[in-house]
Amino acid sequence: MLQLSGVDVRYGQIQAVHSIDLKVDAGQLVTILGANGAGKSSTLRTIAGLVRPSAGEIRLDGVQIDGLPPERIARLGLSFVPEGRGILTTLTVEENLRVAAIGARATSDFDGRRDDVFKVFPVLGERRKALAGLLSGGEQQQLALGRAMIHKARLLLLDEPSLGLAPLLRDLVFAQIVRLRDQGATVVLVEQDARRALAIADWAFVLNGGRKVLDLPASEALSSYRELEAAYMGSARH
Amino acid sequence: MSPPDVVRRVMSWANALPLILVLLVAAHGLLALLGPGENLFVTTLFINMILVLALQVFVGNTGVVSFGHGAFVAIGAYASGILTMPLATKAAALPRLPEALRGVELPLPAAIVVVVFVAILIAIPVGVPIARLSGAAASIATFAFLVISNGILVGWADFTRGTQTFYGVPPLTTLDVALAAAMVAVVVALAFRLSSFGLRLQASAEDELAAAASGIDVRQLRLVAWVLSAAIAAVGGALLGHMLTSFAPGTFYLTQTLSLLTMLILGGSRTVTGAVTGTLVVTAVFEGLRRAENGLDLGSLHFSGAYGLQQLGLGVFLLVAIWLRRDGLIGDRELILNRLWARRSMVRRADRPRTNPLHDDEGGNNE
Amino acid sequence: MAEVLQQLVNAVSLGAVYALMALGLALVYSVLGLINFAHGELMTIAAYTLVFSSAAHVPLAIGLALAIGASVVAAVLMERIVFRPVRGSGPMTLLLTSVAISIMIQTAFQMLISPLPRGADLPDFLYQAFDLGPVRLGVLPLISATTAIAGSWIVVKALRATNIGISIRASAENFTITRLLGVPAQRVVIWTFVLSGAVAGLAGVIWMAQRGSVDPLMGSTPLLKAFVATVLGGLGSVPGAILGGFALGAAEIVLQAFLPPELLPFRDAIVFALVIAVLTVRPRGLLPAKLGERV
């Protein structure tokens, strides 16, 4: 469903991502792991259209999306939740969902979709009129996922969703991510919390220094943890 | 391998040499090109340069656009005028001047010293609130300051003759004086920019939070830049007054402010080189358009002039220049002697990624 | 007591107009980070349109619609031709661009129409006054105030309740996130200018009616007031701009009424000095935009 071929990402002089090849099949839950600065976020941001790759191609269901503006890509069914959740703090919870609906061109269907979101995340329903900036970290994460639900996202990119959350909340968030995958979304998860990510993922990519160093089923990654560590630190090559 | 301290200090003053050379070449070149009758024009050019350099000291280092420097230019002009005016003229022009000033007639250098003092005295209390504001809010506050100063100039008729022309200022500004002052201004502006003051300011303009976290007191630094630039502007204003010999509050108001800002921003506010370049280019274009307003002969074609052509032409020129060079003609580099040392110590602007297609015209392809 | 009420009415009337002017400026700034120096010229465009339509004996209502339409068109053109090519540039470049276009429009008016003021030929009833209890109400100030307040209210409502309004508010907070949610950036920008232009047009018409005439440079004063009002209220904050406008208007009226005659010429200077004093204490304005605001 998602394919990156030979993608390079540069920030001025600095090359953040070197010639990356990634393939994600529909319905998979894939996780991208790696140490800080390995290029994980840059990869996601490039897929989402915030950054243009300096080389290579990105295809979504065969359609080339690199170079398209982010809003176009979002409307093709891709939802990107950036690091920190990207909540619009001066808008209410409900308005945040509304913006997602506007973007998805689904305002006529808004009530229905919004109620679906409230069913899955009841706390959002309770605090629908509250300013989103006042929500707790976990609630904001739910709101972010809720916005993706409004979009009926087919591909969900998540950048460190567990960041800043207490362990119990992390489990909750990951459960919600799994739920979304079960409802048909494809998920690409960038995570620091490797164990939890691998526990729910089908496939894992490990990045180091902007390059892909490991590409294997999640279960294998879990069982060969030593090798994983080595990949993180940079001594493994595939 | 860093050279001994003494050598470095000498080198740092010598850094201004290339620009000084540019000024000298410009002065002589223009006179040769236009003829000795254009003395006044070239003198005005260098006075403008002093004023633009004053702006650069503040705007270029803090990143805050200031509309308020016209106030200090005016202070320089009026104060120096009052101090140097022959007693007889003073009695006629400013009959209600306070006793203490009525009998004063100073030579230019002394007047300049006083002017600098006055400018600093005023700049400090005004600068304190402005230094606390950021970005656009500070800019608008300086705009308010300009309006306030204009109001005071108009209202304080005992000192300024209000809206009536302030005349009788001795014509003490020669081309040599203006040129020398401009060279000094270049040295000072450059020294400030390359000094630790300047570096810390540029760092905070780049990233205020990070700078504060490194212990940089942004407000204090901004105040220093503000006061220094006010002093330079006042000196320039004094020289301006002595060149014009008569002026009114409107001379220092919006038209001048916008012209100077244009010269600075077009040239590139971040560098002293930019300030110099911008002054040269805009003055040249402006003057060229002024002559065209009276009709222009281009080979065998004759374009008849029109009122307002100069302004319109300047506007068009500005827009085109901005479209072509988004961030000013001179980017980040100074024309200085020791590029190597300077580059190592100068804060480099973080390279921006090719992000956010909104910045290209991608965003326009949508609907 | 009657005096106080009178001044209150004057303050509200003036404040409402300033609020309207500030609102247009704040809208564009909140979304684009651009201080539109040419905002005053949008008002002038509307004023000239009205003057010319009434000279052509077009009914007032239609003339008003044309005037506001003209400033909306001008605003959209400004965005397309002048501001879009330089989007993403530093604030100074944006500022200089808007200054350039401001100068050009002013000069164009001077060249194409006339540098001299032109009287507004408005119906007489506007300049009458009537008594309501202890208070004397001028028709024009009353209409100005109600129109300005209504205009501001409509904009605020639109920002709150309509899809485009919510999109604008979202973009003002974080354009990137809003785009990630699929909202078309370009359309939001255009609509922001449409709103800004409409508001400027209304303000321009009111301003001209109060001055009684139109001239090429008349936009400078409203621009300055709008500037100061937005900063006072909190740059980038729409409610702040409205509050700032009212505060500025009130300050002017109060000072006008209570300053000794020798100090009256300094009224504006004193008002601005007060504004700077307020900003010293609250650098981010009375109603700052948001937590991670664009300053």
Side-chain angles (χ1 to χ4, degrees), chain B residues 333-349:
Chain B
R333 305 204 181 175
E334 289 281 16
L335 183 68
I336 50 180
L337 204 55
N338 218 318
R339 289 266 213 103
L340 189 62
W341 277 321
R343 209 185 284 169
R344 216 193 286 150
S345 57
M346 228 189 290
V347 173
R348 256 297 204 48
R349 205 165 157 194

Side-chain angles (χ1 to χ4, degrees), chain C residues 37-76:
Chain C
F37 231 89
H39 192 71
E41 274 58 62
L42 291 176
M43 298 189 208
T44 312
I45 289 174
Y48 268 116
T49 309
L50 185 60
V51 164
F52 284 131
S53 6
S54 59
H57 302 295
V58 174
L60 187 62
I62 300 191
L64 281 171
L66 284 175
I68 295 183
S71 53
V72 167
V73 168
V76 172

Side-chain angles (χ1 to χ4, degrees), chain B residues 59-60 63-65 67 126 128-130 132-137 139-141 143-145 147-149 151-156 253-254 258 261-262 265-266 269 306-309 311-312 314-316 318-319 322-323 325-328 349 352 356-364 366-367, chain C residues 25 29 32 35 37 80-82 84-93 95-101 103-105 107-108 110-111 115 175-176 179 183-187 189 220 223-224 227-228 230-231 235 265-266 268-277 279-284 295:
Chain B
V59 177
V64 173
V65 178
F67 297 98
V126 172
V128 168
I130 289 178
R132 298 190 67 192
L133 298 171
S134 338
S139 292
I140 294 178
F143 205 174
F145 174 55
V147 175
I148 293 174
S149 70
I152 293 177
L153 286 173
V154 167
W156 218 7
Y253 202 33
L254 287 174
L258 294 180
L261 276 175
T262 300
I265 297 180
L266 192 71
S269 66
Y307 171 75
L309 191 66
Q311 298 262 77
L312 208 58
L314 185 65
V316 172
L318 271 184
L319 286 177
I322 291 172
W323 287 338
R325 296 271 319 199
R326 292 264 202 98
D327 289 304
R349 205 165 157 194
R352 271 206 228 110
N356 203 340
L358 192 66
H359 295 177
D360 312 327
D361 276 290
E362 272 296 326
N366 258 331
E367 305 302 313
Chain C
L25 205 66
Y29 181 77
L32 286 182
I35 297 185
F37 231 89
R80 183 66 192 87
I81 300 175
V82 179
R84 198 182 300 181
V86 291
R87 231 197 348 253
S89 306
M92 277 188 230
T93 307
L95 184 76
L96 194 60
T97 309
S98 70
V99 167
I101 194 67
I103 293 176
M104 286 176 70
I105 296 179
T107 312
Q110 285 173 324
M111 288 172 75
F175 219 151
T176 306
R179 297 175 76 197
V183 177
Q186 194 50 56
R187 201 193 286 172
V189 171
S220 317
L223 182 70
L224 180 61
F227 272 172
V228 174
T230 33
V231 173
L235 201 54
F266 293 107
D268 278 343
I270 297 177
V271 171
F272 289 157
L274 285 173
V275 170
I276 294 185
L279 288 174
T280 312
V281 179
R282 287 187 72 106
R284 289 169 72 227
V295 162

Side-chain angles (χ1 to χ4, degrees), chain B:
Chain B
M1 168 67 186
S2 178
D5 203 50
V6 171
V7 177
R8 278 178 103 226
R9 280 180 196 273
V10 170
M11 289 302 296
S12 67
W13 287 101
N15 262 330
L17 280 178
L19 279 175
I20 303 279
L21 211 61
V22 167
L23 263 63
L24 279 169
V25 168
H28 291 290
L30 281 170
L31 276 180
L33 195 66
L34 301 169
E38 295 294 346
N39 209 300
L40 195 64
F41 166 63
V42 184
T43 309
T44 314
L45 174 72
F46 286 110
I47 293 180
N48 278 340
M49 202 177 285
I50 298 172
L51 299 178
V52 175
L53 285 166
L55 262 182
Q56 197 281 331
V57 165
F58 182 72
V59 177
N61 289 304
T62 63
V64 173
V65 178
S66 167
F67 297 98
H69 278 69
F72 298 115
V73 181
I75 288 172
Y78 277 101
S80 189
I82 293 175
L83 291 169
T84 57
M85 205 184 281
L87 296 177
T89 325
K90 208 182 299 197
L94 300 165
R96 286 190 301 278
L97 206 56
E99 271 294 338
L101 288 170
R102 243 179 270 178
V104 171
E105 190 180 331
L106 295 176
L108 185 59
I112 299 258
V113 171
V114 177
V115 157
V116 168
F117 260 118
V118 172
I120 292 178
L121 273 175
I122 296 179
I124 293 178
V126 172
V128 168
I130 289 178
R132 298 190 67 192
L133 298 171
S134 338
S139 292
I140 294 178
T142 62
F143 205 174
F145 174 55
L146 180 70
V147 175
I148 293 174
S149 70
N150 185 266
I152 293 177
L153 286 173
V154 167
W156 218 7
D158 291 352
F159 276 76
T160 66
R161 291 177 55 82
T163 48
Q164 292 186 298
T165 308
F166 187 87
Y167 64 89
V169 180
L172 299 172
T173 303
T174 63
L175 176 55
D176 294 326
V177 170
L179 182 57
M183 293 198 270
V184 171
V186 165
V187 172
V188 171
L190 206 51
F192 185 73
R193 169 156 156 79
L194 299 176
S195 72
S196 70
F197 276 117
L199 288 177
R200 280 182 278 159
L201 261 181
Q202 290 149 41
S204 24
E206 204 64 47
D207 188 334
E208 201 163 322
L209 204 58
S214 321
I216 296 179
D217 188 343
V218 185
R219 283 191 243 166
Q220 228 170 41
L221 289 173
R222 278 197 200 138
L223 187 59
V224 169
W226 173 259
V227 172
L228 178 62
S229 72
I232 300 175
V235 171
L239 293 179
L240 180 66
H242 289 294
M243 187 199 74
L244 295 174
T245 70
S246 65
F247 43 83
T251 315
F252 311 102
Y253 202 33
L254 287 174
T255 310
Q256 181 190 67
T257 303
L258 294 180
S259 305
L260 295 175
L261 276 175
T262 300
M263 291 177 202
L264 179 65
I265 297 180
L266 192 71
S269 66
R270 290 169 144 253
T271 60
V272 174
T273 312
V276 169
T277 310
T279 310
L280 290 170
V281 170
V282 174
T283 306
V285 172
F286 208 52
E287 182 64 16
L289 286 172
R290 189 180 69 81
R291 287 156 201 244
E293 217 177 52
N294 303 327
L296 184 64
D297 284 306
L298 218 61
S300 53
L301 297 168
H302 178 83
F303 296 98
S304 60
Y307 171 75
L309 191 66
Q310 185 187 27
Q311 298 262 77
L312 208 58
L314 185 65
V316 172
F317 171 71
L318 271 184
L319 286 177
V320 171
I322 291 172
W323 287 338
L324 293 178
R325 296 271 319 199
R326 292 264 202 98
D327 289 304
L329 294 171
I330 310 284
D332 261 334
R333 305 204 181 175
E334 289 281 16
L335 183 68
I336 50 180
L337 204 55
N338 218 318
R339 289 266 213 103
L340 189 62
W341 277 321
R343 209 185 284 169
R344 216 193 286 150
S345 57
M346 228 189 290
V347 173
R348 256 297 204 48
R349 205 165 157 194
D351 282 346
R352 271 206 228 110
R354 292 173 66 220
T355 64
N356 203 340
L358 192 66
H359 295 177
D360 312 327
D361 276 290
E362 272 296 326
N365 297 341
N366 258 331
E367 305 302 313

